[in-house]
Amino acid sequence: MTTKAKPEQPEQSASRRRRERERQQMRTRLLEAARDIAAEEGWNAVTIRRIANKLEYTAPILYQYFSSKESLFVELMMVGFTELADQLKVAAQAPPEERLAAMAEAYWTFAFASPELYQAMNGMDGVPFGTAETPLEAKAAFRTFRIALQSIAEARGAEVVDPIGAVDTVWAFLHGCVSLAMAGRVAGGGDRAKTLMLNGLEPLFTAQVRG
Amino acid sequence: MTTKAKPEQPEQSASRRRRERERQQMRTRLLEAARDIAAEEGWNAVTIRRIANKLEYTAPILYQYFSSKESLFVELMMVGFTELADQLKVAAQAPPEERLAAMAEAYWTFAFASPELYQAMNGMDGVPFGTAETPLEAKAAFRTFRIALQSIAEARGAEVVDPIGAVDTVWAFLHGCVSLAMAGRVAGGGDRAKTLMLNGLEPLFTAQVRG
DNA sequence: CCAGAAGTCTATCATTGTTAGATATTAGAT
DNA sequence: ATCTAATATCTAACAATGATAGACTTCTGG
């Protein structure tokens, strides 16, 4: 219990390792197939038979790699949060004055580059979303956001009063803008929605700051 | 084509009127049944058979009143926006200083008093949301919001720079807060999320105003 | 009292997610 | 090299879903 978590097979045969790897590859192939279908025809078109067919398998294959269709969705949701966290981390490297806008833009870009993922993450459209504990992967994105907000405040010679609340507030605003825009509910379309988002961001953040 | 739209039956027999009314009542009964099931067990549990059973009918009855299950959902979405518009209109009667917070609170209260409706309106959970033109009913709520924002600005001796954009911005923020809170993604739970929403609202609105 | 319209039901359809059981393929020890 | 056991995949079937067709009953208006 000192160095490794699972010291069951100290000597893993090479072939066993290979099969483990192939198994994981099959999982990601299934995930990508589902994602592709969703991207092209929406989540309602994603059935286990279509996923399997896309890889030239038959339907029950899914249950060798996922416990259910929903669990595949959940995993795809985690994939989404991981990708989002990555892109936020990149945007967080922008200079402090542009950092906030850069991260908002990264959030927006991610959402509209992969709407099917964004929907899976936020339970829109036909994605069942019932048992949603906040995924651990989301916390990484959250953490990136928190550090960024604090560093921006610091660069302004101030501090974020309630860092966690600030992230929730900013995140909620970004999500709201994206969500409404994606549903086609913002007059003037996506470009205008993005502008409104970027305009609203600054005062919203400033109010989270003191000093 | 001058006074009435459909002058087919100028003399509508009383019984015909009664049957028309009964037909409409049956529609709303079906809508309420669907809503009740969704409120108790979530949208995934809403099947045409359960809706019909709840009213002691058999499944195909639905198709005498709606063209499909989805069209029933769409109509329920419109019901939701109508109810929301009503409650916003009530909140808009608060004195100007409290009006903004009152309307945000009304939005929040509506969402959590009828989460199943809110989900139907915003395509969360298991509600198919594919072909969503912005419903006309939403425009009433939108309009109420716009007038309220302008009146609040006026009471402060200022004006809203871009009224439509201001409504979109505020609405997006409210929706984002509710959406994250409903998904259980706000640390500290619903009460904290509501506080964050009310706190963020004021600076967000102020930034929409000039003079 | 009667023709037709309106309302409802039974029976059925293809499709969905899921499982059981059979069958082929592979791994590791002898 | 061969046997056994595990792994991978398939076929066949299940109940439940949304939806449709056609029969049956009830009501309406003349």
Side-chain angles (χ1 to χ4, degrees):
Chain A
M1 216 187 275
T2 53
T3 53
K4 293 205 171 184
K6 285 184 179 178
E8 291 167 359
Q9 257 81 3
E11 189 81 16
Q12 258 196 355
S13 71
S15 76
R16 189 184 172 86
R17 242 178 300 144
R18 193 207 70 218
R19 298 226 311 207
E20 186 75 18
R21 189 183 357 128
E22 283 176 351
R23 190 177 170 75
Q24 190 54 44
Q25 282 173 354
M26 185 61 170
R27 281 176 66 89
T28 53
R29 287 217 298 157
L30 287 165
L31 287 167
E32 282 170 5
R35 189 178 163 175
D36 286 350
I37 297 168
E40 287 172 20
E41 306 178 44
W43 282 108
N44 294 333
V46 179
T47 72
I48 60 175
R49 283 169 181 82
R50 289 212 49 186
I51 295 174
N53 276 346
K54 190 147 195 160
L55 306 180
E56 299 182 293
Y57 283 82
T58 54
I61 193 65
L62 188 139
Y63 297 92
Q64 303 301 326
Y65 297 89
F66 298 92
S67 65
S68 68
K69 191 194 181 192
E70 180 163 341
S71 85
L72 182 146
F73 284 158
V74 170
E75 192 139 332
L76 214 38
M77 178 178 80
M78 295 173 180
V79 170
F81 276 111
T82 303
E83 288 192 16
L84 174 60
D86 289 348
Q87 294 186 222
L88 286 179
K89 202 164 280 185
V90 172
Q93 293 170 349
E97 321 88 54
E98 310 163 15
R99 193 169 296 162
L100 185 60
M103 294 186 73
E105 199 129 6
Y107 187 94
W108 180 276
T109 301
F110 167 79
F112 284 90
S114 312
E116 79 286 354
L117 264 196
Y118 192 85
Q119 289 163 358
M121 292 157 63
N122 293 100
M124 295 170 56
D125 218 21
V127 186
F129 194 58
T131 57
E133 354 62 278
T134 307
L136 280 178
E137 285 76 1
K139 306 221 166 164
F142 191 94
R143 189 167 171 276
T144 303
F145 242 121
R146 200 202 68 224
I147 294 173
L149 291 190
Q150 289 178 299
S151 69
I152 295 168
E154 194 182 2
R156 297 184 186 181
E159 66 171 351
V160 179
V161 177
D162 170 8
I164 296 178
V167 175
D168 282 329
T169 302
V170 168
W171 192 309
F173 182 56
L174 298 184
H175 170 56
C177 290
V178 167
S179 183
L180 258 55
M182 213 172 257
R185 291 234 181 95
V186 179
D191 289 343
R192 181 172 163 83
K194 189 177 171 186
T195 303
L196 292 174
M197 180 183 78
L198 292 172
N199 285 344
L201 199 57
E202 181 56 34
L204 202 56
F205 171 71
T206 305
Q208 312 293 320
V209 151
R210 170 179 56 195
Chain B
M1 214 187 276
T2 52
T3 53
K4 292 206 172 185
K6 284 184 178 177
E8 291 167 357
Q9 257 80 4
E11 190 81 15
Q12 259 195 355
S13 70
S15 78
R16 189 182 171 89
R17 241 177 300 143
R18 191 205 71 218
R19 298 226 309 206
E20 187 75 19
R21 189 185 355 129
E22 282 175 350
R23 189 175 171 77
Q24 190 55 42
Q25 282 173 353
M26 184 62 169
R27 282 177 65 89
T28 54
R29 286 214 299 157
L30 287 165
L31 288 167
E32 282 170 5
R35 188 178 165 177
D36 285 350
I37 297 168
E40 288 171 20
E41 306 179 43
W43 282 107
N44 294 332
V46 179
T47 72
I48 58 175
R49 284 171 179 81
R50 289 211 48 188
I51 296 173
N53 275 347
K54 191 147 193 160
L55 305 180
E56 299 181 292
Y57 282 81
T58 54
I61 193 64
L62 187 141
Y63 298 92
Q64 303 300 327
Y65 297 89
F66 298 92
S67 64
S68 69
K69 191 195 181 191
E70 180 164 341
S71 84
L72 181 145
F73 284 157
V74 170
E75 192 138 333
L76 214 36
M77 178 178 79
M78 295 173 180
V79 170
F81 276 111
T82 304
E83 288 191 14
L84 174 59
D86 289 349
Q87 294 186 221
L88 286 179
K89 201 164 282 186
V90 171
Q93 293 170 349
E97 321 89 53
E98 311 163 14
R99 194 170 296 162
L100 185 60
M103 292 186 74
E105 199 129 8
Y107 187 94
W108 180 277
T109 301
F110 167 79
F112 284 90
S114 313
E116 78 286 354
L117 263 196
Y118 193 84
Q119 289 163 358
M121 292 157 62
N122 293 100
M124 294 170 57
D125 216 21
V127 186
F129 193 56
T131 56
E133 355 62 279
T134 306
L136 280 179
E137 285 77 1
K139 306 221 167 165
F142 191 95
R143 187 166 173 277
T144 302
F145 242 120
R146 201 202 68 224
I147 294 173
L149 292 189
Q150 290 178 300
S151 70
I152 296 168
E154 193 182 2
R156 298 184 186 181
E159 66 170 351
V160 179
V161 176
D162 171 7
I164 295 177
V167 175
D168 282 329
T169 302
V170 168
W171 192 309
F173 182 57
L174 298 184
H175 170 56
C177 291
V178 167
S179 183
L180 258 55
M182 213 173 258
R185 289 232 182 96
V186 179
D191 289 343
R192 182 173 161 83
K194 189 177 172 185
T195 303
L196 291 173
M197 179 183 79
L198 292 173
N199 285 344
L201 198 59
E202 181 56 34
L204 200 58
F205 171 70
T206 305
Q208 312 292 321
V209 151
R210 171 178 56 196

